[in-house]
Amino acid sequence: MLSLHSYFLRHARVRNYVSESEVCKLESVPLDFGDYHPLKPITVTESKTKKMTRKGSTSSTSSSSSSSMMDPLSSVLDGTDPLSLFAAAADPVTTAPPTDGARRKRDRDESSAVGSDFEPWSSKRGEILARYTTTEKLSINLYMGSEKGKATTTGSAVSEKVRTRLEELDDLEEGSQKELLNLTQQDYMNRIEELNQSLKDAWSSDQKVKALKIVIQCSKLLSDTTVIQFYPSKFVLITDILDTFGKLVYERILSMCVDNRVSLPDNFSPESINDTAKETCLNWFFKIASIRELIPRFYVEAAILKCNKFLSKTGILECLPRLTAMIRGIGDPLVAVYARAYLCRVGMEVAPQLKESLNKNFFDFLLTFKQIHGDTVQNQLVVQCVEIPLYLTLYSPAIDWILQCIAYHAPDVLLTEMMERCKKLGNNALLLNSVMSAFRAEFIAARSMDFIAMIKECDESGFPKHLLFRSLGLNLALADPPENDRLQILNEAWKVITKLKNPQDYINCAEVWVEYTCRHFTKREVNTVLADVIKHMTPDRAFEDAYPQLQSIIQKVITYIYDFALLFSVEKFLPFLDMFQKESVRVEVCKCIMESFIKHQQESTKDPVILNALLHICKTMHDSVNALTLEDEKRMLAALINGFIKMVSFGRDFEQQLSFYVEARSMFCNLEPVLVQLIHSVNQLAMETRRVMKGNHSRKTAAFVRACVAFCFITIPSLSSIFTRLNLYLHSGQVALANQCLSQADAFFKAAVSLVPEVPKMISVDGKMRPSDAFLLEFLCNFFSTLLVVPDHPEQGVLFLVRGLLNVIQDYTWEDNSDDKVRIYTNVLHLLSAMAQESFIYHVDKVDSNDTLYGGDSKFLAEINKLSETVVSQILDHLKTLGKEETLKRQSQLAHYFFNTILAHGDLRNNRLNQLSVNLWNLAQKHGFADTKTMVKTLEYIKRQSKQPEMSHFTDLALRLPLQSRT
Amino acid sequence: MWRGWGSRAPPGHVRRCHVAHPGSREAVSRDGTMGTTLDVRVKRAGKVYRDGEVLSGVVVITSKDTVQHQGISLTMEGSVNLQLSAKNVGVFEAFCNTAKPIQIINSTIEMVKPGKLPSGKTEIPFEFPLQMKGNKVLYETYHGVFVNIQYTLRCDMRRSLLAKDLTKTCEFIVHSLSQKGKLLPSPVDFTITPETLQNVKERASLPKFLIRGHLNSTNCVITQPLTGELVVESAEAAVKSIELQLVRVETCGCAEGYARDATEIQNIQIADGDVCRGLPIPIHMVFPRLFTCPTLETTNFKVEFEVNIVVLLHDDHLITENFPLKLCRM
């Protein structure tokens, strides 16, 4: 039977492509581009529960450094994803498991309480910890158990024996006193964390007394003001422990109230609490009331303030004023103000509606304000070598917090009153600063001129003035001052700022005010401000210590001025960039600028100023690439540069465009994706030229197009990825063909053919090694389709490219157990049958393909036949080798594949071919590996085809093709 | 009112009292071999009862097997224990009678006759009327150093020779009845200057100071805190600490002679560090349960209370102002 094969393509089916396409064309359905598109960015309309990003502008560099490309994934993330929604919904305070009924009620309750516009303590925490640090050694002093060392006789007498015995009982609990000295800040923080953990452990192992002792000892640490510059951070750490404790106690008592697994509603009344729970709760309060020292007693009671809810409705209402008054007993003003801050914080959490005690706390603070300048404090500062300005800044977090609590949803009248009170105290800078950081930005902005006047008036000694201007600037960045005052505000503020001597102080202020300037003024003012910054930061290379601030300035400028023509006309912008001399920062800044460009630039540009500047910036980014650069980083840089290249257009000035690409190639030669983009751009340019000339090149354009082709031809070899090269050769060859550059196209195709043997077995795809055959198969099929229309070179033999490719395929070392080679051969048959047609299925405009060249010459057809005979014999040989047990399945599949090819492309009126196809059919089914469903479908297809007038021979064929059942 | 003055180390903190409230203590009598446990539970969570009320609860017996016993009885006892302090023992050895416990109440009921109890958990309810005979008074529970007034419920399970008898004791607390009539507030104002001090050695070396204040009342309801205010109007030396020292004065004895001992119950700091001048500081002290009781005066013993306001200056000068209190239960 196998001898029949040689007749195959002598009988290639004659195709009438036009009529076939009429029959086969799918009914065209107008595409609906209305609402849905799978790649369309998903917009989630639900508003994000954002934390108020007030005053957060100092270190906002990281927030926008993500990829700037319009990426559907990133825009999905812009909406609120379910996880963060969940996290936002989880209330950190009430952790009692809510039942469904309770939850609805709770939601309502909370809406009347503190809303999401209240900046929570948690967001302040990190800021404080980062800001108030020390290099000095710290110590922790813990007295677990009794206060043995301190006990001495009073006037009253207790028998020594009794006392010692009782104390011993106490000491049995745990090791008494331990003192840890010489701790670094990190050690200290670790210790505190350990204490936090041991509190939880003690609690869970039912050692409630020990837990209480730990909490008492921790809060005692707050009365210690040695290493005073660390105090705010210490406060943060220790109040964390107190919060843990408060939560544990509350939850425990709450759990005692659970009867029959029905938990309490969140707004339970004290009457619904059972006696045991009440008794336990009362016990806690009695225990705490007997704590000897004031500060621990205050903090621990404040920590479990919420538990008052179990005892009476008015418990919290009565407790808050008492605790507020209790703080008056704390002599150290710094310790006292932090105690007030803690009380305000707990108060806001537990009973936000009770504003009175918040105000009372602030007024009490004002009453004791004079203490700050008293002898006791001053002596302490001398001992610790701390300057007054530094000392005063330690107050800021606490006062800010108290004022923020007061100012939350407070009427303007109250704020005005608060301001007046502060004014009365000699217009104190510390208070003024806190007022500005805590009150609503709108409130401050509306009174900017007043504030500037107050800042000017307030006394010089103590709190640094530049901080005041900084705070004011932060407000003005958020809210707009009255139209008429704007320029004056800037002038007044900048007058002070520019006089600052210390570069750090200066840049911290300037950074904030740049935003105000960009927001309300033109490029002239921005330019002046930038010039001033340059002037201040250049001496002694001061900019080296201020990169974050400088970066933030750039970011603010490009946020407000995103018209790049305007931006680059700000004369000092580029000189400003020159200050970024550390490469990593410089690249970071360049990235920001490019991101902004890609995001905001709507139309392509040829503005020489923009091009020059951006080329320079891109060059900087490109030059940062070295052997150590991460792949991701490279990809990102390349994406940014590509984004830029795509936006450059010189319109009809194609030559200029090409020379730009040439320049870009020389600049960005280390980034392959950029080179690939350039090749595509140049190809596009060539096609654009063709479009403009409507396909008829003049001598000039022909030369230009050849220049483009040459550009591609010499650029492609410098790429490393083999498939990129192959595809680009093919693509560029097609472009060359389309532009009637036949010999150039031949060169591309020849290059591609000679590259195929180099294709490795495995290639790396997304960092994983994958076999390359699928990619090669795909490429070759694509290549064949192109080769159909490539006319033969007059000096080379007939079909020399196809032959060349077949030779390469023949010699390529294929995977031993793969059928890819045969699959390719089968596809070659498709090509050859298409070539045998009188008129090819497609053509390139203005290029004569072989059908025209040979005009169906019999010699040409004979060549095709000869080729196909070889190919068919190769296929059949291969089928024969698959006769072994383990390869029968593959044999069946290949046979079927080949059968389909003959069915589609062969002329089955030829008896021998007909016989071959029947044999293949049987072979496919022979060993029961054929998919019955497919076979049935194929048969149905044949029967259907037979109804067409020219296909009547299919009827006979169908009769000769038996269907084997699986059994 | 007496005033003390001295220069010395930090004030003595005799000892802090953090014996847990008996209400929170739970112990179970257990018999090792058989795993039989006996427990007495009174009904009220706080275990607080008053004269005339009925003390009710259950005795719980848990066992894996059946329990053979010779009878279970429950005893309610109340007594005053007087102890003489070491320094007074010599003087009072003659009157050892006075140191013997004074019984206030004692009654026993037989709960179950000898027999068997089924395995598992058996609960036997009981009720005791707290009724005093004649004009005897049910004193309030009080745990002091020299005077102790304690009430207990004791359950005994007598068993055969082979098994140990089981006993379980449970303390309950008696609060005296509210006193009739309205409590008259008795506010006290005070001013402390170097001149008002007694027993000062070198008045000239003293720093100048003026401390003013008031207690809202020295007649106190035991469940309400002691309140008042204190203002440091001026002080040359820095203030180190201001404390409230609650002191009990226990007197034991009879017509022949007596011993009077003052001991600190608790010490509460109301100011820490150099407080702001002229700013009123609140005085606030909760009376600890168990260690305080309404001021008590009987023929054999007395329990009284006082508060000291102790101001400690930075140069270790100690200023004390004493106020006797009268506690009562309303």
Side-chain angles (χ1 to χ4, degrees):
Chain A
M1 110 195 160
L2 290 176
S3 60
L4 296 175
H5 65 257
S6 53
Y7 291 88
F8 169 52
L9 276 170
R10 197 163 292 169
H11 305 281
R13 206 174 111 206
V14 178
R15 310 283 290 269
N16 183 342
Y17 290 123
V18 180
S19 64
E20 267 180 56
S21 90
E22 289 292 309
V23 176
C24 302
K25 214 188 276 171
L26 287 172
E27 198 183 336
S28 73
V29 178
L31 264 177
D32 180 16
F33 285 114
D35 289 335
Y36 177 74
H37 185 276
L39 293 179
K40 200 175 157 187
I42 301 165
T43 40
V44 181
T45 44
E46 199 154 1
S47 70
K48 197 172 178 177
T49 51
K50 62 171 178 189
K51 286 180 186 158
M52 245 186 16
T53 49
R54 217 177 125 89
K55 325 287 186 207
S57 60
T58 37
S59 58
S60 54
T61 40
S62 61
S63 57
S64 62
S65 65
S66 60
S67 167
S68 58
M69 262 39 68
M70 264 313 284
D71 169 19
L73 286 178
S74 66
S75 52
V76 172
L77 291 178
D78 272 339
T80 312
D81 66 318
L83 282 179
S84 57
L85 256 183
F86 212 64
D91 185 356
V93 186
T94 41
T95 38
T99 56
D100 280 348
R103 174 176 290 158
R104 219 174 304 124
K105 258 182 185 166
R106 188 173 99 182
D107 287 347
R108 204 189 55 219
D109 283 353
E110 269 170 331
S111 62
S112 71
V114 182
S116 59
D117 52 341
F118 185 76
E119 188 183 3
W121 174 253
S122 49
S123 70
K124 299 262 183 192
R125 250 190 107 249
E127 221 172 282
I128 297 177
L129 285 178
R131 184 165 160 204
Y132 298 97
T133 56
T134 181
T135 48
E136 284 186 47
K137 297 294 182 196
L138 303 158
S139 62
I140 299 182
N141 215 335
L142 297 176
Y143 300 95
M144 287 303 187
S146 70
E147 297 165 18
K148 204 171 181 177
K150 281 183 163 184
T152 44
T153 44
T154 34
S156 51
V158 182
S159 93
E160 280 300 321
K161 202 175 73 189
V162 173
R163 195 200 306 156
T164 356
R165 194 170 46 96
L166 289 171
E167 274 168 6
E168 275 167 7
L169 278 177
D170 260 354
D171 281 358
L172 284 181
E173 293 275 351
E174 56 266 322
S176 50
Q177 174 179 354
K178 71 180 165 181
E179 191 167 9
L180 303 160
L181 292 170
N182 276 334
L183 299 171
T184 63
Q185 186 182 322
Q186 191 54 48
D187 289 343
Y188 191 92
M189 291 166 89
N190 294 344
R191 292 283 171 180
I192 298 285
E193 187 39 47
E194 277 170 31
L195 282 172
N196 202 354
Q197 196 50 49
S198 55
L199 164 66
K200 285 180 198 160
D201 292 347
W203 188 270
S204 56
S205 60
D206 222 34
Q207 294 172 278
K208 304 287 187 303
V209 177
K210 186 181 172 192
L212 180 61
K213 277 182 181 168
I214 291 173
V215 174
I216 292 173
Q217 294 307 322
C218 286
S219 36
K220 224 188 246 182
L221 295 174
L222 284 176
S223 61
D224 174 20
T225 53
T226 50
V227 196
I228 203 160
Q229 58 271 41
F230 184 62
Y231 192 85
S233 294
K234 180 157 81 174
F235 170 80
V236 167
L237 295 173
I238 288 172
T239 48
D240 281 352
I241 298 187
L242 287 165
D243 290 347
T244 312
F245 177 73
K247 218 160 84 181
L248 289 171
V249 174
Y250 184 82
E251 278 166 15
R252 160 144 166 87
I253 298 175
L254 195 67
S255 73
M256 295 171 90
C257 305
V258 178
D259 290 326
N260 305 325
R261 303 233 173 89
V262 180
S263 57
L264 284 169
D266 214 55
N267 53 349
F268 57 83
S269 70
E271 293 83 49
S272 59
I273 306 299
N274 63 38
D275 284 352
T276 328
K278 268 188 181 157
E279 187 62 30
T280 315
C281 188
L282 212 54
N283 247 326
W284 278 110
F285 281 111
F286 269 109
K287 257 178 215 166
I288 289 164
S290 70
I291 296 172
R292 198 190 85 79
E293 277 158 289
L294 173 66
I295 290 170
R297 182 153 33 93
F298 164 78
Y299 273 105
V300 180
E301 183 166 0
I304 66 161
L305 185 68
K306 198 178 180 187
C307 295
N308 275 299
K309 289 202 324 200
F310 296 111
L311 296 178
S312 74
K313 273 218 161 86
T314 54
I316 296 175
L317 183 71
E318 288 154 10
C319 257
L320 274 173
R322 183 169 57 74
L323 288 170
T324 306
M326 196 167 159
I327 300 175
R328 291 178 165 198
I330 300 177
D332 190 308
L334 186 67
V335 177
V337 79
Y338 274 93
R340 292 190 191 284
Y342 185 65
L343 188 61
C344 289
R345 188 178 126 202
V346 176
M348 277 305 266
E349 269 170 28
V350 175
Q353 72 280 10
L354 302 176
K355 300 263 183 203
E356 270 312 298
S357 57
L358 297 174
N359 298 349
K360 183 85 176 80
N361 263 305
F362 188 64
F363 296 150
D364 269 6
F365 167 70
L366 293 182
L367 284 177
T368 57
F369 195 78
K370 54 180 186 270
Q371 273 185 296
I372 294 176
H373 301 287
D375 290 342
T376 318
V377 171
Q378 298 300 325
N379 292 342
Q380 193 188 5
L381 295 186
V382 171
V383 172
Q384 294 201 29
C385 302
V386 174
E387 301 281 329
I388 280 277
L390 174 66
Y391 176 70
L392 288 179
T393 54
L394 300 179
Y395 283 81
S396 293
I399 305 177
D400 288 1
W401 179 261
I402 297 174
L403 283 174
Q404 189 195 324
C405 293
I406 291 175
Y408 181 66
H409 285 184
D412 276 8
V413 189
L414 180 70
L415 301 188
T416 319
E417 192 203 330
M418 291 284 169
M419 236 175 82
E420 289 305 316
R421 289 220 185 203
C422 297
K423 248 187 195 171
K424 267 182 209 149
L425 276 172
N427 224 346
N428 191 283
L430 170 62
L431 290 174
L432 199 54
N433 187 48
S434 292
V435 165
M436 286 192 289
S437 5
F439 285 8
R440 282 190 289 277
E442 295 77 21
F443 179 86
I444 309 286
R447 295 164 181 71
S448 307
M449 287 311 289
D450 295 349
F451 273 96
I452 288 187
M454 281 193 278
I455 294 174
K456 278 185 178 167
E457 275 165 32
C458 71
D459 57 39
E460 280 288 339
S461 71
F463 202 82
K465 247 182 197 180
H466 63 91
L467 289 183
L468 293 172
F469 273 104
R470 191 179 139 81
S471 304
L472 184 60
L474 285 171
N475 281 300
L476 293 179
L478 291 172
D480 301 338
E483 187 87 43
N484 297 332
D485 293 347
R486 287 180 187 171
L487 187 61
Q488 206 188 342
I489 292 171
L490 182 66
N491 284 334
E492 292 288 347
W494 207 266
K495 229 189 289 174
V496 179
I497 295 169
T498 192
K499 279 185 198 133
L500 292 170
K501 291 276 181 321
N502 181 334
Q504 275 300 323
D505 294 348
Y506 171 81
I507 196 68
N508 282 331
C509 254
E511 178 207 347
V512 172
W513 280 87
V514 164
E515 185 159 4
Y516 175 71
T517 317
C518 295
R519 200 176 152 117
H520 298 297
F521 298 98
T522 59
K523 71 168 197 181
R524 198 175 72 91
E525 286 80 3
V526 175
N527 195 38
T528 317
V529 168
L530 290 183
D532 195 55
V533 174
I534 295 172
K535 203 176 92 197
H536 274 83
M537 300 312 287
T538 317
D540 299 328
R541 300 177 68 80
F543 50 78
E544 285 182 343
D545 301 321
Y547 284 138
Q549 291 92 331
L550 293 174
Q551 229 173 320
S552 133
I553 289 181
I554 288 287
Q555 215 140 33
K556 280 169 189 158
V557 171
I558 56 181
T559 321
Y560 286 97
I561 311 179
Y562 43 77
D563 176 353
F564 274 69
L566 185 64
L567 180 67
F568 288 120
S569 67
V570 175
E571 285 155 33
K572 291 292 177 183
F573 185 76
L574 288 177
F576 194 93
L577 288 186
D578 288 339
M579 284 201 289
F580 296 98
Q581 297 196 350
K582 190 177 164 197
E583 196 185 39
S584 58
V585 186
R586 201 178 166 81
V587 171
E588 218 34 65
V589 172
C590 290
K591 275 200 229 163
C592 285
I593 297 173
M594 288 316 294
E595 275 166 14
S596 158
F597 176 77
I598 290 166
K599 197 163 152 195
H600 294 294
Q601 190 71 21
Q602 302 291 336
E603 289 163 6
S604 46
T605 177
K606 60 174 181 178
D607 181 337
V609 178
I610 298 183
L611 291 192
N612 264 327
L614 290 183
L615 267 180
H616 177 71
I617 288 168
C618 288
K619 176 91 175 124
T620 311
M621 296 200 294
H622 169 267
D623 290 352
S624 74
V625 174
N626 57 31
L628 296 176
T629 312
L630 296 173
E631 276 306 315
D632 266 353
E633 174 76 6
K634 279 196 213 166
R635 199 171 317 158
M636 189 161 168
L637 293 178
L640 289 173
I641 297 177
N642 284 348
F644 165 58
I645 290 173
K646 282 187 222 163
M647 289 314 288
V648 176
S649 164
F650 291 89
R652 280 294 181 92
D653 192 348
F654 291 153
E655 291 189 8
Q656 181 75 42
Q657 184 87 32
L658 183 62
S659 67
F660 169 76
Y661 290 140
V662 171
E663 193 186 350
R665 183 178 61 184
S666 66
M667 273 181 158
F668 307 126
C669 55
N670 286 332
L671 286 170
E672 272 195 23
V674 178
L675 293 181
V676 173
Q677 173 62 44
L678 284 172
I679 292 167
H680 282 305
S681 295
V682 170
N683 277 334
Q684 203 183 0
L685 187 62
M687 293 311 281
E688 185 64 22
T689 317
R690 180 177 178 274
R691 193 183 61 79
V692 169
M693 301 305 288
K694 303 202 173 63
N696 299 315
H697 283 300
S698 66
R699 179 184 290 187
K700 201 178 161 201
T701 57
F704 175 72
V705 166
R706 278 198 289 276
C708 291
V709 171
F711 175 97
C712 297
F713 193 72
I714 58 171
T715 311
I716 294 173
S718 61
L719 301 174
S720 66
S721 160
I722 195 142
F723 278 102
T724 314
R725 262 191 284 166
L726 283 174
N727 286 319
L728 281 175
Y729 274 134
L730 179 58
H731 187 70
S732 305
Q734 288 165 348
V735 170
L737 203 59
N739 285 294
Q740 299 121 46
C741 305
L742 295 185
S743 59
Q744 283 83 353
D746 273 352
F748 277 116
F749 296 134
K750 267 192 239 168
V753 169
S754 55
L755 197 58
V756 169
E758 288 172 33
V759 174
K761 289 270 176 305
M762 306 291 276
I763 55 162
S764 156
V765 180
D766 295 335
K768 277 182 208 153
M769 293 309 282
R770 295 266 175 77
S772 63
D773 46 7
F775 295 95
L776 186 57
L777 203 66
E778 187 190 320
F779 168 73
L780 288 174
C781 293
N782 199 352
F783 201 3
F784 290 143
S785 334
T786 309
L787 287 180
L788 175 66
V789 288
V790 178
D792 279 347
H793 194 280
E795 287 159 20
Q796 311 273 358
V798 176
L799 296 178
F800 80 107
L801 280 174
V802 178
R803 278 172 207 279
L805 190 53
L806 281 173
N807 285 336
V808 166
I809 293 167
Q810 174 86 38
D811 295 341
Y812 187 79
T813 40
W814 295 93
E815 205 67 53
D816 284 340
N817 52 357
S818 94
D819 303 322
D820 290 328
K821 189 172 165 183
V822 178
R823 281 179 200 280
I824 290 167
Y825 280 149
T826 321
N827 289 338
V828 171
L829 286 181
H830 301 171
L831 170 67
L832 293 174
S833 75
M835 280 184 159
Q837 302 302 322
E838 208 166 302
S839 172
F840 290 172
I841 182 167
Y842 45 80
H843 292 93
V844 179
D845 194 23
K846 304 224 165 23
V847 173
D848 289 332
S849 295
N850 286 341
D851 53 348
T852 328
L853 286 181
Y854 296 111
D857 186 80
S858 57
K859 270 187 192 163
F860 175 64
L861 289 179
E863 281 295 326
I864 294 177
N865 273 347
K866 232 164 84 188
L867 268 181
S868 32
E869 274 168 26
T870 327
V871 169
V872 168
S873 70
Q874 293 266 355
I875 296 173
L876 293 176
D877 282 351
H878 186 79
L879 276 177
K880 254 195 270 180
T881 62
L882 292 178
K884 293 179 205 117
E885 185 68 39
E886 65 271 19
T887 52
L888 286 175
K889 189 172 182 186
R890 280 164 55 199
Q891 188 189 43
S892 153
Q893 282 170 352
L894 273 186
H896 188 244
Y897 187 47
F898 193 23
F899 172 80
N900 283 343
T901 303
I902 296 176
L903 198 62
H905 299 284
D907 184 359
L908 288 169
R909 277 173 297 203
N910 178 293
N911 284 337
R912 290 171 172 184
L913 205 54
N914 204 319
Q915 185 56 46
L916 174 63
S917 61
V918 171
N919 288 343
L920 284 170
W921 175 268
N922 289 331
L923 184 62
Q925 292 194 107
K926 195 168 169 188
H927 298 287
F929 284 106
D931 179 26
T932 322
K933 217 170 169 181
T934 319
M935 300 310 263
V936 172
K937 283 256 169 74
T938 314
L939 205 57
E940 275 170 12
Y941 166 78
I942 296 169
K943 283 175 185 160
R944 210 167 43 241
Q945 287 289 311
S946 66
K947 295 200 177 91
Q948 288 183 33
E950 290 165 26
M951 298 296 213
S952 52
H953 57 285
F954 270 35
T955 324
D956 300 334
L957 180 67
L959 292 174
R960 295 180 62 197
L961 300 178
L963 264 181
Q964 277 177 2
S965 62
R966 265 284 163 91
T967 52
Chain B
M1 193 187 281
W2 58 270
R3 282 166 180 164
W5 168 259
S7 177
R8 47 139 231 166
H13 310 121
V14 177
R15 58 166 270 99
R16 296 226 320 279
C17 311
H18 41 72
V19 175
H21 194 247
S24 64
R25 286 256 163 110
E26 273 171 39
V28 170
S29 175
R30 191 183 291 271
D31 155 67
T33 50
M34 303 289 283
T36 309
T37 58
L38 189 62
D39 196 10
V40 184
R41 290 180 195 157
V42 294
K43 209 172 179 182
R44 291 187 189 167
K47 302 192 180 184
V48 178
Y49 293 86
R50 288 157 189 259
D51 194 356
E53 288 180 334
V54 173
L55 172 64
S56 60
V58 284
V59 168
V60 183
I61 300 138
T62 333
S63 171
K64 277 188 202 138
D65 310 304
T66 52
V67 185
Q68 188 89 42
H69 64 92
Q70 308 289 111
I72 299 172
S73 62
L74 192 64
T75 312
M76 178 170 70
E77 274 181 320
S79 62
V80 183
N81 281 290
L82 300 177
Q83 198 192 348
L84 298 179
S85 70
K87 67 176 182 188
N88 290 326
V89 165
V91 187
F92 284 99
E93 267 165 348
F95 317 103
C96 32
N97 277 349
T98 43
K100 232 171 45 185
I102 306 163
Q103 202 155 67
I104 306 169
I105 194 169
N106 190 356
S107 59
T108 305
I109 46 168
E110 188 73 13
M111 295 185 85
V112 186
K113 295 224 166 74
K116 263 187 191 173
L117 288 175
S119 63
K121 190 166 152 188
T122 314
E123 290 193 0
I124 310 163
F126 62 82
E127 281 190 348
F128 267 114
L130 274 174
Q131 210 92 52
M132 294 307 290
K133 284 177 193 121
N135 53 3
K136 269 189 164 178
V137 188
L138 203 58
Y139 301 131
E140 182 155 335
T141 299
Y142 167 73
H143 293 272
V145 181
F146 305 108
V147 178
N148 253 307
I149 305 172
Q150 197 175 19
Y151 295 86
T152 53
L153 271 176
R154 196 183 71 236
C155 179
D156 291 295
M157 184 196 272
R158 289 176 301 284
R159 298 210 278 184
S160 60
L161 288 172
L162 292 170
K164 256 198 299 189
D165 290 355
L166 288 181
T167 302
K168 167 72 185 157
T169 322
C170 158
E171 182 177 1
F172 66 94
I173 294 160
V174 170
H175 278 177
S176 50
L177 293 172
S178 320
Q179 271 144 18
K180 307 246 160 38
K182 214 178 150 194
L183 184 79
L184 288 175
S186 50
V188 190
D189 288 323
F190 58 87
T191 307
I192 317 173
T193 64
E195 288 71 38
T196 62
L197 298 172
Q198 299 168 356
N199 62 8
V200 186
K201 281 167 197 146
E202 293 167 68
R203 205 174 286 266
S205 71
L206 290 182
K208 291 206 165 44
F209 59 82
L210 170 61
I211 297 168
R212 252 196 264 274
H214 67 268
L215 293 178
N216 290 337
S217 174
T218 52
N219 288 341
C220 300
V221 181
I222 200 164
T223 51
Q224 300 294 315
L226 171 75
T227 54
E229 262 183 357
L230 179 144
V231 188
V232 180
E233 297 285 3
S234 66
E236 274 182 0
V239 177
K240 198 171 178 182
S241 175
I242 302 175
E243 287 152 20
L244 299 176
Q245 189 182 37
L246 181 64
V247 173
R248 64 194 144 201
V249 183
E250 293 163 317
T251 314
C252 312
C254 52
E256 290 88 350
Y258 63 94
R260 188 173 187 273
D261 290 290
T263 47
E264 178 187 291
I265 303 172
Q266 73 175 7
N267 191 317
I268 294 289
Q269 189 185 38
I270 58 166
D272 181 16
D274 198 16
V275 288
C276 187
R277 305 291 184 264
L279 189 70
I281 295 165
I283 291 175
H284 182 98
M285 179 167 68
V286 177
F287 293 110
R289 297 189 287 189
L290 291 179
F291 303 105
T292 49
C293 64
T295 304
L296 189 59
E297 214 167 317
T298 70
T299 45
N300 296 333
F301 62 94
K302 275 202 279 193
V303 181
E304 292 158 305
F305 298 91
E306 294 172 353
V307 67
N308 290 327
I309 293 177
V310 183
V311 179
L312 186 67
L313 297 181
H314 235 274
D315 47 11
D316 280 345
H317 280 109
L318 182 87
I319 306 157
T320 311
E321 182 87 15
N322 177 275
F323 303 92
L325 300 177
K326 186 167 169 23
L327 302 188
C328 59
R329 190 173 292 282
M330 295 302 281

